Amino acid sequence: MKFRNIPLLTALAIAGMAPLAASAQAADAGFPLQPLADKPGRIVLPGTQHEVYYVPSTVDTIQWGYLPNAATKPVLSVPSGATIVFDTLSHEGMVEDQGRDPVKYFGSKGIPTNMVLKDAIAITGSNMAHDFAKDGPHIVTGPVEIQGAEPGDVLKVELLSAVPRVPYGVVSNRHGKGALPGEFPETPKPLANASAANPEAYHNVSVFTPIRRGKDGKWEGVMKTKDGTEVIFPTAPFMGTMGVAAATTAKVHSVPPGLHGGNMDINDLGVGTTVYFPVLVKGANFYTGDPHMVQGDGEVALTALEHSMRPTFRITLLKKGDKAIPSSSGSLGRPMGETPDHWVTIGLNPDLDEAMKDAVRESIRFLTEVLGMDRATAYAYLSAASEFQVSQVVDGTKGVHGMIRKSDFINVTSKKR
């Protein structure tokens, strides 16, 4: 995908939303990226003359542990094609097994108070209810109404930028969760008196993980061996949670993904990619959260490198029947992704085998409806030339996504132009 709005991307860089200059001191490098405003609306990017829509994370603009549904009122309304900047928060350092006190928690890791995000402090210091045992952990920001959106339409969501707000993140493993529940964490079971006031009693394990600029100028994560030797790994920021309001008035838990999107945790859908979401309620009501600095396929410990981010999206409404929608019906029944090099089909099911089948069926649908293959040939092509990756196995509803190479279909797509 090529960006058409070069002046805007330049403005994002000036405003601190693109990669920052390397520095020995995080504050000198521009950290932390504190909120740009206390309410949603149009703002002028700092140091520029460019206006964008902006949504901060506040007690009035987030849901903690749940996703928007048909009854949720939008915090902002924007036209199709709008550019929207969100200030999103990682739940790590905010949840009860870490004391629901980010200043104290990150202070125990050597982070001074002025390097802790003000919005995280405000939310955890509020009386906002959150039940660690029952609610999802995620801070979900939004939703934003897309004017004119109706059920049957599709949202085209492009992630233009995703920039870390602080120079640190956390990877957590909690009892009863992850790919090896009962085996990890290798600590005693939680005690009955575990609470935000007594977080140590949960006996969960969280690994504090700094990030820094490498010699090539790219962000890298840093962990250490038992003797203190550094283990350095590349990062690839993306939003773990993106989606539209579900067509129900029942509460929608933030952990399992679904046909509305939500906590899909697909690491291939980072900066420069697009996700197509079916509109399920009037206005669509787009939201995002669960920002990740990097995640391996499977997300086996339970979390990725959770990391507060400032993502920038361009959201375009595709009315039902628009030829840009990747289907022959003129609509979609589930999310679908697109990268510069691949089409990304998504399978979801509590059973990993069934999630795999779901992804294969969706891939066959796409190849037959959009690229003109017959079903038998599509199935053979997928077996010979496509990859199916485990998105995550830790969110109740497991995910598998297919990666279909665009270059294989250059002769087909050139005919469609």
Side-chain angles (χ1 to χ4, degrees):
M1 183 183 76
K2 294 183 179 179
F3 296 127
R4 296 183 296 275
N5 197 336
I6 300 303
L8 175 59
L9 292 184
T10 302
L12 294 176
I14 294 171
M17 298 177 196
L20 303 168
S23 172
Q25 299 296 323
D28 294 340
F31 289 126
L33 295 185
Q34 298 288 13
L36 296 170
D38 58 3
K39 294 181 180 180
R42 286 185 68 83
I43 64 168
V44 176
L45 294 176
T48 79
Q49 296 180 339
H50 290 270
E51 281 192 347
V52 294
Y53 290 95
Y54 172 69
V55 183
S57 289
T58 72
V59 292
D60 296 320
T61 65
I62 70 160
Q63 294 189 61
W64 196 347
Y66 294 90
L67 302 178
N69 63 15
T72 307
K73 294 182 179 179
V75 302
L76 185 67
S77 180
V78 305
S80 173
T83 298
I84 312 169
V85 175
F86 291 81
D87 267 333
T88 64
L89 289 168
S90 166
H91 55 273
E92 295 294 330
M94 299 178 63
V95 285
E96 288 79 355
D97 68 339
Q98 296 160 338
R100 190 170 163 153
D101 184 344
V103 171
K104 183 176 180 181
Y105 178 77
F106 288 118
S108 72
K109 312 300 180 184
I111 301 300
T113 300
N114 66 350
M115 289 300 295
V116 179
L117 293 169
K118 294 178 181 178
D119 35 356
I121 297 171
I123 291 169
T124 54
S126 74
N127 60 3
M128 190 172 198
H130 184 255
D131 186 328
F132 184 70
K134 296 180 180 179
D135 302 339
H138 310 104
I139 306 293
V140 181
T141 305
V144 173
E145 175 191 33
I146 310 303
Q147 296 162 12
E150 299 283 351
D153 298 339
V154 171
L155 287 192
K156 178 183 178 183
V157 178
E158 300 169 88
L159 181 58
L160 304 182
S161 175
V163 176
R165 299 180 62 195
V166 289
Y168 53 83
V170 177
V171 182
S172 287
N173 176 220
R174 297 183 164 97
H175 280 280
K177 303 180 185 299
L180 298 174
E183 297 180 52
F184 280 81
E186 296 176 315
T187 54
K189 301 298 184 184
L191 301 177
N193 65 344
S195 68
N198 187 26
E200 294 82 5
Y202 283 103
H203 295 148
N204 291 330
V205 173
S206 294
V207 178
F208 178 79
T209 307
I211 64 163
R212 67 188 184 196
R213 286 290 192 187
K215 293 180 180 179
D216 59 2
K218 298 179 180 178
W219 293 112
E220 58 188 23
V222 183
M223 294 183 179
K224 293 183 178 181
T225 64
K226 288 187 289 186
D227 68 4
T229 304
E230 287 189 342
V231 176
I232 303 166
F233 52 93
T235 63
F238 74 103
M239 300 306 295
T241 294
M242 299 181 285
V244 293
T248 177
T249 56
K251 296 180 75 172
V252 182
H253 203 276
S254 72
V255 171
L259 301 183
H260 52 271
N263 187 35
M264 297 187 296
D265 283 337
I266 299 176
N267 58 16
D268 289 289
L269 298 178
V271 175
T273 68
T274 299
V275 187
Y276 300 89
F277 291 100
V279 174
L280 305 176
V281 304
K282 184 178 176 62
N285 285 353
F286 175 81
Y287 53 84
T288 190
D290 192 27
H292 296 158
M293 197 64 186
V294 67
Q295 175 195 298
D297 289 336
E299 199 184 18
V300 294
L302 172 62
T303 82
L305 175 48
E306 310 289 318
H307 200 118
S308 295
M309 290 274 177
R310 179 173 287 169
T312 301
F313 297 93
R314 180 167 52 230
I315 302 182
T316 304
L317 175 62
L318 303 177
K319 298 300 291 182
K320 186 174 182 178
D322 193 308
K323 292 182 179 180
I325 296 172
S327 79
S328 63
S329 68
S331 189
L332 283 177
R334 64 176 63 220
M336 181 173 172
E338 182 178 358
T339 79
D341 299 319
H342 294 85
W343 292 291
V344 184
T345 56
I346 299 169
L348 299 169
N349 196 283
D351 184 297
L352 187 59
D353 287 342
E354 293 300 320
M356 177 67 181
K357 294 176 183 178
D358 202 26
V360 173
R361 293 186 186 110
E362 176 65 3
S363 299
I364 293 171
R365 178 205 66 79
F366 175 72
L367 289 172
T368 56
E369 288 186 5
V370 178
L371 297 176
M373 278 187 161
D374 65 75
R375 289 174 61 81
T377 304
Y379 198 24
Y381 167 79
L382 293 171
S383 191
S386 290
E387 296 181 351
F388 288 84
Q389 302 174 359
V390 177
S391 314
Q392 52 74 26
V393 296
V394 297
D395 293 331
T397 296
K398 299 173 175 62
V400 173
H401 60 277
M403 302 291 287
I404 301 173
R405 251 187 327 267
K406 291 181 177 180
S407 60
D408 296 353
F409 294 87
I410 189 66
N411 293 332
V412 176
T413 54
S414 62
K415 284 184 178 181
K416 294 178 177 289
R417 295 193 184 108

